[in-house]
Amino acid sequence: MPVERFSRLCAGAVTVLTTSMVFAAPVLAAAEGEHAKKGLPQLNPDSFASQIFWWAVTFGLLFWLMSKVALPRVAEVLEARQEKISNDLEKASALKAEAEGVMQAYERALAEARSNAQKEVAASVAASDAEAARRSAELGASLAATTKDAEARIQTAKQEALSNLSSVAAEAALAATERLSGAVLSADAATAAVESVLKERA
């Protein structure tokens, strides 16, 4: 404790000062013999005993005040400060651990969110591709059916046009034959002649 160390230091200082005063008294007395009346009172060997007494009383009183009043307060302040530092360090460690835990949880949540986002994007792309393929197949089937229907109508129209052309050509052939040669042919013969010509040219 700081108080105990201070007490030991003060006791040692008192012992050293007392011993030095005792041994220095004869030397000071001889040096001040001729200046006894003119010298300083505190250096007069005749008053050493009372000086040492009052010095010891004053030192004891100051030592008691320091050990009982001042040093305990200093020790309390130091202990409170040390306790506050320890508490602050513990709080800092706890906050650091909590921050690390929060950071790890954030990183895990971020990684999970990225993974989920990638999965959702992949699923959305796959769904879009499937929908596009389905629409493309439906469009292809619709176009094929429309094309087939158009081809069938074209073929029907062609057949109708050819049949109409045959009848018109047969009538024209009958009229031309009648005008040119004056002979009258039957409609069946004219139709057969026209169809044979169309087959040859087809």
Side-chain angles (χ1 to χ4, degrees), residues 153-164:
R153 284 182 293 176
I154 290 171
Q155 188 66 27
T156 302
K158 183 180 178 181
Q159 293 296 330
E160 290 178 357
L162 287 177
S163 62
N164 292 334

Side-chain angles (χ1 to χ4, degrees), residues 28 30 63 66 81-82 97 99-100 105 117 127 147 160 166 170 172 188 200:
L28 292 173
F63 178 76
M66 291 293 292
R81 183 180 178 187
Q82 184 63 35
E100 290 178 353
T147 303
E160 290 178 357
S166 298
D188 293 335
E200 290 178 1

Side-chain angles (χ1 to χ4, degrees), residues 102-112:
V102 170
M103 192 64 183
Q104 291 176 358
Y106 169 75
E107 290 178 354
R108 286 195 299 270
L110 184 61
E112 185 177 356

